[in-house]
Amino acid sequence: MFGFSNQEIKFLRRLNSPIKIQNYLESIKINFEDTCMSPRMVMARNPLLLDLKTVKKDDYHVVAVFKRHSLWGAISKTNHAVLRYREPLYRNIHELVMSYFHEYFMNDGKKTLKEYSRPINLARFIKRNWTITEDDVWYISDYLDQVPHYKILNCSNAATLRRADPIEIRAGKLVRERRP
């Protein structure tokens, strides 16, 4: 199956729900390196994607989206307490994206989530063996940067947004692991 070994297939078959996938991702240490690893390389170190773009000073975020009973949810690997898994409760992608909106802000409280992509099917990269390569898969990140994105705000909306307050800012700094 897609070039995985029998042992890898056995492991992947156990991850047979979004919740099990999210729980597995939570068990993996945060990668502070500048890498973009394939699933094989993530597993060795112990598929629809949605790109969330922010202002240049903030970090973009990519989530894996899924549908259950016609509702959208998301699987996410992040170090921050709030940009995590979303239950499949959202009627469309826009609703799902907006569930992340208030958690995207800078230390001064300014909201930063600006755009989102349509869901991208990773099957388009199967000929490049993205699932099993030992090389970084930056071409997926590059592709996500190039696809059309939908704006969340217009200029007048952005100018009138309430900034996150001090307690939200403190909560936003809650992380699972500190950089070494």
Side-chain angles (χ1 to χ4, degrees), residues 81-168:
V82 293
L83 300 176
R84 296 184 169 274
Y85 181 84
R86 293 296 190 263
E87 297 289 349
L89 303 172
Y90 303 94
R91 292 176 292 185
N92 55 51
I93 292 296
H94 182 76
E95 276 189 8
L96 173 64
V97 168
M98 295 312 293
S99 77
Y100 287 99
F101 182 79
H102 290 285
E103 282 87 17
Y104 271 94
F105 52 81
M106 300 300 287
N107 287 335
D108 64 0
K110 183 177 180 182
K111 304 279 174 44
T112 61
L113 186 58
K114 302 296 182 192
E115 302 177 356
Y116 65 96
S117 73
R118 61 180 168 73
I120 305 302
N121 189 335
L122 292 174
R124 74 181 310 111
F125 300 108
I126 211 66
K127 288 183 179 176
R128 296 186 76 171
N129 291 322
W130 75 272
T131 57
I132 60 170
T133 184
E134 295 184 17
D135 298 325
D136 282 338
V137 291
W138 285 111
Y139 52 86
I140 295 175
S141 177
D142 294 341
Y143 181 80
L144 287 170
D145 283 340
Q146 295 168 10
V147 299
H149 283 68
Y150 303 98
K151 291 195 180 297
I152 293 173
L153 302 170
N154 60 36
C155 292
S156 61
N157 294 81
T160 61
L161 291 176
R162 177 185 171 274
R163 290 180 183 249
D165 65 29
I167 196 164
E168 290 172 299

Side-chain angles (χ1 to χ4, degrees), residues 2-148:
F2 301 115
F4 286 109
S5 70
N6 288 338
Q7 183 178 0
E8 290 166 333
I9 291 169
K10 184 178 177 184
F11 175 78
L12 289 169
R13 283 195 173 130
R14 290 194 314 250
L15 302 178
N16 59 4
S17 75
I19 291 171
K20 288 179 181 178
I21 294 168
Q22 183 66 48
N23 290 343
Y24 168 67
L25 290 175
E26 292 303 324
S27 75
I28 301 171
K29 291 185 79 59
I30 295 295
N31 177 10
F32 291 107
E33 300 169 19
D34 191 20
T35 59
C36 190
M37 292 183 274
S38 69
R40 171 176 275 167
M41 294 312 296
V42 170
M43 289 185 301
R45 291 202 175 180
N46 210 32
L48 291 175
L49 292 186
L50 183 73
D51 188 37
L52 303 173
K53 284 192 176 180
T54 62
V55 297
K56 291 187 189 304
K57 294 178 186 175
D58 201 354
D59 294 328
Y60 291 11
H61 195 61
V62 176
V63 296
V65 296
F66 64 95
K67 227 175 181 180
R68 178 172 289 147
H69 307 297
S70 76
L71 297 172
W72 290 94
I75 297 167
S76 172
K77 177 65 177 171
T78 181
N79 197 28
H80 292 276
V82 293
L83 300 176
R84 296 184 169 274
Y85 181 84
R86 293 296 190 263
E87 297 289 349
L89 303 172
Y90 303 94
R91 292 176 292 185
N92 55 51
I93 292 296
H94 182 76
E95 276 189 8
L96 173 64
V97 168
M98 295 312 293
S99 77
Y100 287 99
F101 182 79
H102 290 285
E103 282 87 17
Y104 271 94
F105 52 81
M106 300 300 287
N107 287 335
D108 64 0
K110 183 177 180 182
K111 304 279 174 44
T112 61
L113 186 58
K114 302 296 182 192
E115 302 177 356
Y116 65 96
S117 73
R118 61 180 168 73
I120 305 302
N121 189 335
L122 292 174
R124 74 181 310 111
F125 300 108
I126 211 66
K127 288 183 179 176
R128 296 186 76 171
N129 291 322
W130 75 272
T131 57
I132 60 170
T133 184
E134 295 184 17
D135 298 325
D136 282 338
V137 291
W138 285 111
Y139 52 86
I140 295 175
S141 177
D142 294 341
Y143 181 80
L144 287 170
D145 283 340
Q146 295 168 10
V147 299

